[in-house]
Amino acid sequence: MHHIAALCLLSALSLQAQIQYIESRKIFLLTTSKNSYAMGLGQDGALRHLYWGAPIWRADDLAAAPARRDISSFDPRQMLEAEEFPGWGGPRYYEPALKLSREDGVRDLVLRYTSHSIQQNNLDIVLKDINDGVEVTLHYHIYPEHGILRRSATLRNGTSRALTVESAQSATWNLPPGEGYQLTYLTGRWAAETQLNHEPVHEGQKVIESRRGNTSHNFNPWFAIDAGDAAEEHGSVWFGALGWSGNWRIAVEQTPYRQVRVTGGMNSFDFSYPLKPGESLDTPPFYGGYSSGGFGAASRMLHRFTREQILPGGATSRVRPVLYNSWEATTFAVNEQGQKDLATKAAKLGIEMFVMDDGWFGARNNDRAGLGDWTVNPKKFPQGLKGLIDHVHSLKMDFGLWVEPEMVNANSNLYRAHPDWVINFPGRPRSELRTQMVLNLARSDVKEYIFDVLDKLATENDIRYFKWDMNRSFTEPGWPEVAATEQRKLWVQYVRNVYEIIDRLRAKHPNLEIESCSGGGARVDLGILQRVDEVWPSDNTDAFDRLRIQEGFSQAYPAKIMSAWVTDVPNMNTRSTPLAFRFLAAMQGALGIGSNLNKFSEQDSALATSMIGVYKRIRATVQTGELYRLASPRTNDVTVNQYVSGDGKQAVVFALRHAQQYNTAAPTIRLRGLDERAIYKLESINNKLVEHQQQFSGAYLMNAGINVNLRGDFDATALILERN
Ligand code: DGJ
């Protein structure tokens, strides 16, 4: 009874006052439906972290920010305190959230509270240096239903002299004091992205980052930390994800004083950002959350949040169409007739969007020429794009086009006309990767040029979708046209200008959708996701490899944005998997086909048509439902994922067996997220169910479970459950 009363009060409070400030004790308490976050002001005016965890509702329970004492001359009190946004100054030797240098060489920065304002779900806290006008506004925004807190900071030079920012982080997240934490994070490389890692947090720092100019394949800006006892469906998990597509850094630090802090934002490596008097610098958003329901619940929180609050159009955006992409079928050998033939075949299978990939422009017959020359190749497309687009439309499909606007080949008209437009250090080599260089989008003239190119393409042609690719990282990151002291702003300005181009394009062409691709998954983060509809997670389309890539991807990102193609075998691993297995792997995201349809047998086409039909029945559940990871490809010989629709009426289970050994039956599948009392009608899309009937209660499905007959290697099924 007591418990119920507390819950009612909590929901009443969380509806009325999600952000509270208790004047008498100088405490801020931010509460969402899933967690609370608290800070307090010390006697000295320092802002200290107090709490991050399951929801609490009574601000009076919180002690005022505790004042500490020095333990020794080597262990000053500042090292023991959990400062909310520490400047680098005084006796602080851990990772700072902000570090700067003034014109006269003074680098000490000690921040104290000056004021705050609360407006609905927003809290701004203004801190100022103890001596001069360096001012930091900490921004907090809570998403009450989603359980997510967004943090960022604005640094303003309120002094009368120039200063240079050396490190500008978005947030420092303090975990409850303790030890034994475990860190979960994503690593990878080209064609092997989003691999899941789980390891103990030790004293010292663990850094995940990008120094490449883009988000990178190597690490993804997401983390989860648990107290050492969490699993997929239980336990406390603290997590965060950065919204920044340039150099970023997340440092997980355990101090000798049983503190664990996560500090993240723009990478301070090769970072230097001068601010004249009155100028300011905004740091990117760092989203954080806490879940008491394990890694699965943490993922589901991020999925829903991203779908509803980050993606363009939010909850109202359409489910992703089934697309065809020409890349693996034709590579650069595209032409009007060849693409028309593929389009005709694609339409028969039920494809809804036809995307022509690389090779349609300039002298682009291989990857050594043509990038930068965004005019249609007249030999390949004598009627311009119109002939192909009209054909695609006549087949009732939308048309999408591949572009790589940030790049140039040395062998291009653009580079011959503007060799100064690429990122470079004068007199130094211009490293070419995939024989291409990076245009300096930080420059306004280059930015405007790229905007005009894309705007013209979208204005002159009926293009529904750009696949926006970026196939290399930065090297020799010089910007010779500006003063040496300003050049490192490139890391930041480049990203801002990419964002600006996309934002302006979308505003001018409201129907245009965009896929973010960077040689696979090197540009997947919550910053780019505010402006694109899908991402390409990996150039590796081997369905077996994909299972692990997708598992890692799903920790942080929703299925709706995860473009997933069925392609031909043998693939890059020289592995062959059956077409049904490839479909069932790809149907767990935004389904696409990348096969050479000219080589499809009648049987292949029939299977593809039927799988695409099934996908259309279940895609809303996959793309916008709740994901339950029932069996991981890392630890089982079957990968099992379940998706439950928002209204609970439909659930879909994918079970993909990698290899059978010792004639062992596939394990029993125990479902989750169903209504115990409800009856569900069960259907296996390819008759793999080993059961005596096809109707079961939710309780039975979740507790006793069901069995599927998966035999041999790469056997797979999907089960569709409809609630009666
Ligand atoms: C890299 C992408 O990831 C591929 O899907 C394809 O678009 C190629 N670039 C084209 O050059």
Side-chain angles (χ1 to χ4, degrees):
M1 189 61 205
H2 211 70
H3 184 60
I4 293 173
L7 280 181
C8 293
L9 187 52
L10 176 61
S11 55
L13 266 180
S14 58
L15 283 178
Q16 288 157 16
Q18 283 108 7
I19 299 183
Q20 304 174 63
Y21 177 63
I22 315 302
E23 175 69 50
S24 56
R25 314 164 66 133
K26 305 205 179 324
I27 285 172
F28 298 93
L29 176 58
L30 289 63
T31 298
T32 75
S33 55
K34 300 199 166 49
N35 42 45
S36 291
Y37 188 93
M39 299 163 280
L41 297 172
Q43 296 279 324
D44 54 359
L47 181 65
R48 303 209 177 91
H49 179 78
L50 293 180
Y51 178 77
W52 187 23
I56 53 176
W57 57 272
R58 191 168 178 263
D60 281 346
D61 293 343
L62 289 159
R68 307 275 188 164
R69 292 219 176 125
D70 295 351
I71 298 178
S72 77
S73 59
F74 293 101
D75 306 285
R77 64 183 173 76
Q78 287 85 347
M79 291 301 289
L80 312 175
E81 292 166 351
E83 238 175 286
E84 180 68 9
F85 196 81
W88 185 72
R92 293 174 183 81
Y93 306 102
Y94 50 80
E95 188 66 36
L98 193 60
K99 182 175 187 312
L100 53 80
S101 177
R102 297 174 183 78
E103 216 174 28
D104 58 5
V106 174
R107 305 190 302 284
D108 190 56
L109 178 68
V110 179
L111 296 168
R112 293 285 182 259
Y113 169 89
T114 62
S115 64
H116 75 268
S117 64
I118 297 175
Q119 261 164 3
Q120 288 174 338
N121 294 330
N122 293 300
L123 163 66
D124 277 356
I125 303 178
V126 183
L127 310 176
K128 218 164 84 48
D129 179 59
I130 46 174
N131 262 11
D132 67 14
V134 173
E135 191 183 276
V136 183
T137 305
L138 304 183
H139 308 290
Y140 296 83
H141 178 90
I142 54 166
Y143 298 85
E145 279 178 51
H146 301 86
I148 301 289
L149 171 61
R150 182 185 72 210
R151 294 181 58 187
S152 65
T154 302
L155 165 66
R156 200 178 78 85
N157 180 1
T159 74
S160 54
R161 313 233 314 251
L163 59 80
T164 301
V165 189
E166 294 173 354
S167 170
Q169 302 304 301
S170 300
T172 293
W173 302 95
N174 289 276
L175 278 98
E179 284 162 352
Y181 284 107
Q182 303 265 339
L183 171 67
T184 307
Y185 61 104
L186 299 170
T187 57
R189 57 187 157 85
W190 175 78
E193 296 87 336
T194 51
Q195 303 292 314
L196 195 55
N197 299 264
H198 186 69
E199 67 195 29
V201 175
H202 294 297
E203 270 182 32
Q205 266 200 8
K206 165 85 187 183
V207 173
I208 57 172
E209 63 174 352
S210 167
R211 300 179 175 190
R212 291 170 166 270
N214 57 346
T215 320
S216 123
H217 301 90
N218 300 145
F219 298 100
N220 189 271
W222 166 86
F223 74 89
I225 292 186
D226 69 287
D229 56 358
E232 186 62 21
E233 293 300 335
H234 68 82
S236 292
V237 177
W238 294 262
F239 58 90
L242 267 171
W244 188 241
S245 314
N247 283 0
W248 59 271
R249 182 176 196 266
I250 296 177
V252 179
E253 182 175 28
Q254 180 173 320
T255 74
Y257 312 99
R258 300 179 69 240
Q259 291 167 317
V260 174
R261 298 191 175 107
V262 183
T263 306
M266 292 189 279
N267 202 330
S268 47
F269 178 81
D270 198 44
F271 184 87
S272 171
Y273 202 99
L275 288 179
K276 295 194 190 83
E279 286 185 343
S280 57
L281 170 64
D282 291 319
T283 64
F286 200 165
Y287 304 90
Y290 163 86
S291 160
S292 53
F295 298 105
S299 296
R300 290 188 285 277
M301 281 167 70
L302 266 177
H303 294 171
R304 181 171 166 217
F305 170 70
T306 302
R307 284 194 312 262
E308 296 180 1
Q309 299 293 331
I310 295 284
L311 295 178
T316 60
S317 63
R318 64 172 183 155
V319 287
R320 302 307 307 145
V322 182
L323 63 77
Y324 179 79
N325 179 296
S326 64
W327 174 245
E328 290 202 21
T330 57
T331 63
F332 300 97
V334 295
N335 60 49
E336 185 168 325
Q337 197 50 50
Q339 294 291 301
K340 279 182 171 171
D341 291 347
L342 284 171
T344 306
K345 290 179 175 148
K348 284 196 187 128
L349 304 180
I351 303 280
E352 297 157 311
M353 169 109 69
F354 182 86
V355 183
M356 177 162 64
D357 210 278
D358 204 346
W360 57 269
F361 52 92
R364 188 74 169 165
N365 297 316
N366 50 51
D367 61 12
R368 297 187 297 280
L371 268 184
D373 299 339
W374 298 106
T375 45
V376 185
N377 181 311
K379 276 205 201 113
K380 296 178 181 178
F381 295 91
Q383 316 181 54
L385 293 176
K386 196 173 173 347
L388 174 60
I389 296 180
D390 286 350
H391 181 71
V392 167
H393 287 165
S394 75
L395 296 164
K396 308 245 170 326
M397 295 186 292
D398 284 325
F399 179 73
L401 190 65
W402 180 94
V403 287
E404 191 178 3
E406 298 156 81
M407 299 290 158
V408 68
N409 286 123
N411 186 3
S412 68
N413 294 335
L414 184 68
Y415 189 69
R416 282 183 280 273
H418 298 286
D420 56 322
W421 276 15
V422 300
I423 292 175
N424 76 94
F425 287 129
R428 305 292 304 174
R430 299 177 175 197
S431 295
E432 293 185 19
L433 298 168
R434 207 193 191 204
T435 57
Q436 63 194 55
M437 290 170 276
V438 186
L439 291 170
N440 186 356
L441 258 72
R443 286 174 55 148
S444 304
D445 53 352
V446 178
K447 174 188 72 179
E448 290 307 322
Y449 176 83
I450 297 302
F451 173 79
D452 288 345
V453 163
L454 296 169
D455 179 37
K456 189 162 180 267
L457 273 172
T459 305
E460 291 177 356
N461 304 286
D462 194 345
I463 294 173
R464 183 78 210 265
Y465 183 91
F466 278 135
K467 174 177 172 184
W468 179 309
D469 206 347
M470 187 219 195
N471 278 304
R472 58 158 292 178
S473 311
F474 297 11
T475 52
E476 300 97 18
W479 184 357
E481 293 74 24
V482 301
T485 49
E486 297 281 319
Q487 285 200 17
R488 294 180 204 201
K489 281 186 174 170
L490 180 143
W491 294 119
V492 177
Q493 197 54 40
Y494 184 102
V495 182
R496 285 190 188 139
N497 286 356
V498 169
Y499 288 172
E500 186 196 310
I501 293 171
I502 302 179
D503 292 345
R504 280 166 60 193
L505 266 180
R506 292 194 77 122
K508 196 159 170 208
H509 305 276
N511 259 337
L512 183 70
E513 297 180 331
I514 296 180
E515 172 181 356
S516 168
C517 171
S518 182
R523 198 182 257 161
V524 181
D525 61 78
L526 293 183
I528 200 72
L529 284 173
Q530 283 185 296
R531 353 191 106 77
V532 301
D533 305 271
E534 278 184 43
V535 300
W536 182 228
S538 181
D539 276 348
N540 185 341
T541 54
D542 174 349
F544 179 50
D545 284 1
R546 270 287 173 127
L547 295 179
R548 276 170 85 152
I549 293 173
Q550 292 181 179
E551 180 200 38
F553 188 96
S554 79
Q555 302 296 318
Y557 304 106
K560 185 173 187 185
I561 63 153
M562 187 180 75
S563 191
W565 303 348
V566 172
T567 56
D568 294 335
V569 290
N571 54 44
M572 61 164 64
N573 293 315
T574 66
R575 183 181 289 119
S576 288
T577 52
L579 187 58
F581 186 90
R582 282 176 268 153
F583 262 100
L584 291 167
M587 283 159 70
Q588 300 184 51
L591 177 65
I593 313 292
S595 294
N596 186 349
L597 300 181
N598 298 321
K599 293 193 185 149
F600 259 28
S601 65
E602 259 178 48
Q603 242 181 344
D604 293 338
S605 297
L607 182 62
T609 309
S610 116
M611 286 293 198
I612 290 170
V614 170
Y615 181 70
K616 287 177 182 170
R617 253 179 81 194
I618 59 169
R619 72 171 144 190
T621 300
V622 170
Q623 294 184 21
T624 65
E626 302 268 89
L627 166 67
Y628 295 86
R629 291 177 291 248
L630 302 185
S632 159
R634 284 168 302 127
T635 48
N636 298 274
D637 75 359
V638 188
T639 299
V640 188
N641 289 314
Q642 180 194 344
Y643 303 78
V644 182
S645 67
D647 61 9
K649 287 192 178 145
Q650 190 184 62
V652 188
V653 179
F654 292 91
L656 293 91
R657 189 149 204 196
H658 320 149
Q660 185 179 28
Q661 287 187 292
Y662 314 115
N663 194 22
T664 313
T668 300
I669 301 172
R670 291 189 183 81
L671 276 59
R672 298 215 179 101
L674 302 180
D675 176 353
E676 292 199 348
R677 310 294 312 165
I679 302 291
Y680 295 84
K681 197 154 82 222
L682 213 65
E683 170 195 347
S684 156
I685 57 132
N686 47 2
N687 297 321
K688 298 278 180 183
L689 212 50
V690 194
E691 301 295 344
H692 66 288
Q693 59 168 17
Q694 277 163 0
Q695 302 233 11
F696 295 93
S697 66
Y700 183 86
L701 291 168
M702 291 194 288
N703 298 322
I706 42 167
N707 296 292
V708 286
N709 183 21
L710 299 181
R711 308 286 305 183
D713 298 345
F714 303 119
D715 197 6
T717 187
L719 308 172
I720 304 174
L721 289 85
E722 308 279 358
R723 195 171 70 187
N724 275 354

Coordinates of all heavy atoms in Angstrom, one line a residue, residues 121 135 165 188 196 232 271 291 295 312 343 345 349 399 404 406 413-414 420 448-449 481 484 486 662 684 703 705:
N121 N 11.0 21.8 -19.0 CA 12.0 20.7 -18.9 C 13.4 21.1 -19.0 O 14.3 20.3 -19.2 CB 11.6 19.6 -19.9 CG 10.3 18.9 -19.6 OD1 9.9 18.9 -18.5 ND2 9.6 18.5 -20.6
E135 N 32.6 32.5 -18.5 CA 31.3 32.0 -18.0 C 30.9 30.8 -18.8 O 31.1 30.6 -20.0 CB 30.3 33.2 -18.4 CG 29.0 33.0 -17.8 CD 28.1 34.2 -18.3 OE1 28.2 35.3 -17.7 OE2 27.3 33.9 -19.2
V165 N 40.4 28.0 -26.0 CA 39.8 26.8 -25.3 C 40.7 25.6 -25.7 O 40.9 25.4 -26.9 CB 38.3 26.5 -25.7 CG1 37.7 25.5 -24.9 CG2 37.5 27.8 -25.6
G188 N 35.4 -1.4 -33.6 CA 35.3 -2.0 -34.9 C 36.4 -1.5 -35.9 O 37.3 -0.8 -35.5
L196 N 30.7 -5.6 -29.8 CA 30.4 -5.4 -28.4 C 31.5 -5.8 -27.4 O 32.0 -6.9 -27.5 CB 29.1 -6.1 -28.0 CG 28.4 -5.8 -26.8 CD1 28.0 -4.3 -26.7 CD2 27.1 -6.6 -26.7
E232 N 21.2 -8.8 -19.5 CA 20.3 -8.3 -20.6 C 19.0 -7.8 -20.0 O 18.6 -6.7 -20.4 CB 20.1 -9.4 -21.6 CG 19.3 -9.0 -22.8 CD 19.9 -7.9 -23.7 OE1 21.2 -7.7 -23.6 OE2 19.2 -7.3 -24.4
F271 N 43.1 20.0 -30.4 CA 42.0 21.0 -30.3 C 42.5 22.3 -29.8 O 43.3 22.4 -28.9 CB 41.0 20.4 -29.3 CG 39.7 21.3 -29.2 CD1 38.6 21.1 -30.0 CD2 39.6 22.2 -28.2 CE1 37.5 21.8 -29.9 CE2 38.4 23.0 -28.1 CZ 37.4 22.8 -28.9
S291 N 18.9 2.9 -16.2 CA 17.8 1.9 -16.3 C 18.0 0.9 -15.2 O 19.2 0.5 -15.0 CB 17.7 1.3 -17.6 OG 17.0 0.0 -17.5
F295 N 20.6 -4.2 -19.7 CA 21.1 -3.7 -21.0 C 19.9 -3.6 -22.0 O 19.9 -2.7 -22.8 CB 22.2 -4.5 -21.6 CG 23.4 -4.4 -20.7 CD1 23.8 -5.5 -19.9 CD2 24.2 -3.3 -20.6 CE1 24.9 -5.5 -19.1 CE2 25.3 -3.2 -19.8 CZ 25.7 -4.3 -19.0
P312 N 14.5 13.0 -37.8 CA 13.6 14.0 -38.4 C 12.2 13.5 -38.5 O 12.0 12.3 -38.8 CB 14.2 14.2 -39.8 CG 15.5 13.6 -39.8 CD 15.6 12.6 -38.7
A343 N 15.6 -2.0 -62.2 CA 14.4 -1.4 -61.5 C 13.2 -2.2 -61.9 O 12.3 -2.5 -61.0 CB 14.3 0.0 -62.0
K345 N 13.0 -5.4 -62.5 CA 13.0 -6.6 -61.7 C 12.7 -6.3 -60.2 O 12.0 -7.1 -59.5 CB 14.3 -7.3 -61.9 CG 14.4 -7.9 -63.3 CD 15.7 -8.6 -63.5 CE 15.6 -9.2 -64.9 NZ 16.9 -9.2 -65.6
L349 N 9.4 -7.5 -57.3 CA 9.6 -8.2 -56.0 C 8.9 -7.5 -54.9 O 8.8 -8.0 -53.7 CB 11.1 -8.2 -55.6 CG 12.1 -8.9 -56.6 CD1 13.5 -8.9 -56.0 CD2 11.7 -10.4 -56.8
F399 N 12.7 7.3 -56.2 CA 14.1 7.2 -56.7 C 15.1 7.8 -55.7 O 14.9 8.9 -55.1 CB 14.2 7.9 -58.0 CG 15.6 7.9 -58.6 CD1 16.1 6.8 -59.2 CD2 16.4 9.1 -58.6 CE1 17.4 6.7 -59.7 CE2 17.7 9.0 -59.1 CZ 18.2 7.9 -59.7
E404 N 28.6 11.6 -52.8 CA 29.7 11.7 -51.8 C 30.3 13.1 -51.8 O 31.4 13.4 -52.3 CB 30.8 10.7 -52.1 CG 31.8 10.6 -50.9 CD 32.9 9.5 -51.1 OE1 32.9 8.9 -52.1 OE2 33.6 9.4 -50.1
E406 N 31.5 15.4 -49.9 CA 32.6 16.0 -49.2 C 34.0 15.7 -49.8 O 35.0 16.1 -49.3 CB 32.6 15.5 -47.8 CG 31.4 15.8 -47.0 CD 31.1 14.9 -45.8 OE1 31.8 15.0 -44.8 OE2 30.3 14.0 -46.0
N413 N 37.5 17.6 -62.6 CA 37.5 19.0 -63.0 C 37.4 19.9 -61.8 O 38.0 21.0 -61.8 CB 36.2 19.2 -63.9 CG 36.3 18.5 -65.2 OD1 37.4 18.2 -65.6 ND2 35.2 18.2 -65.8
L414 N 36.8 19.4 -60.7 CA 36.7 20.3 -59.5 C 38.1 20.5 -58.9 O 38.4 21.6 -58.6 CB 35.8 19.6 -58.5 CG 35.5 20.5 -57.3 CD1 34.7 21.8 -57.6 CD2 34.9 19.8 -56.1
D420 N 43.0 24.3 -54.1 CA 43.1 24.9 -52.7 C 41.9 24.5 -51.9 O 41.8 24.8 -50.7 CB 43.2 26.4 -52.8 CG 42.0 27.0 -53.6 OD1 41.6 26.4 -54.6 OD2 41.5 28.1 -53.2
E448 N 29.0 26.5 -49.4 CA 28.0 27.0 -50.3 C 27.9 26.2 -51.6 O 26.9 25.9 -52.2 CB 28.2 28.5 -50.6 CG 27.9 29.4 -49.4 CD 26.5 29.1 -48.7 OE1 25.5 28.9 -49.5 OE2 26.4 29.2 -47.5
Y449 N 29.2 25.9 -52.2 CA 29.2 25.2 -53.4 C 28.6 23.8 -53.3 O 27.8 23.4 -54.1 CB 30.7 25.0 -53.8 CG 30.9 24.2 -55.1 CD1 30.8 24.8 -56.3 CD2 31.2 22.8 -55.0 CE1 30.9 24.0 -57.5 CE2 31.3 22.1 -56.1 CZ 31.2 22.6 -57.3 OH 31.3 21.9 -58.5
E481 N 44.0 29.1 -45.4 CA 43.4 30.5 -45.6 C 43.2 31.3 -44.3 O 42.9 32.5 -44.4 CB 42.1 30.3 -46.4 CG 42.3 29.8 -47.8 CD 42.6 28.3 -47.9 OE1 42.2 27.6 -47.0 OE2 43.2 27.9 -48.9
A484 N 47.1 30.8 -38.4 CA 47.5 29.5 -37.8 C 46.8 29.3 -36.5 O 46.4 28.1 -36.2 CB 49.0 29.6 -37.6
E486 N 43.8 30.0 -35.8 CA 42.4 29.7 -36.0 C 42.2 28.3 -36.7 O 41.1 27.8 -36.8 CB 41.8 30.7 -36.9 CG 41.7 32.1 -36.3 CD 40.6 32.3 -35.3 OE1 39.5 31.9 -35.5 OE2 40.9 33.0 -34.3
Y662 N 26.8 -31.9 -33.1 CA 26.4 -33.1 -32.3 C 24.9 -33.4 -32.4 O 24.3 -33.8 -31.4 CB 26.8 -32.9 -30.8 CG 28.2 -32.3 -30.7 CD1 28.5 -31.1 -30.2 CD2 29.3 -33.1 -31.1 CE1 29.8 -30.6 -30.1 CE2 30.6 -32.6 -31.0 CZ 30.8 -31.4 -30.5 OH 32.1 -30.9 -30.4
S684 N 4.9 -19.8 -38.1 CA 6.3 -19.8 -38.5 C 6.3 -19.6 -40.0 O 5.6 -20.3 -40.8 CB 7.0 -21.1 -38.2 OG 8.1 -21.3 -39.0
N703 N 7.3 -18.4 -20.2 CA 7.8 -19.3 -19.1 C 8.3 -20.6 -19.6 O 9.4 -21.1 -19.3 CB 6.8 -19.4 -18.0 CG 6.5 -18.0 -17.4 OD1 7.4 -17.2 -17.2 ND2 5.3 -17.8 -17.0
G705 N 8.1 -21.6 -23.0 CA 8.8 -21.4 -24.2 C 8.4 -22.3 -25.4 O 7.6 -23.3 -25.2

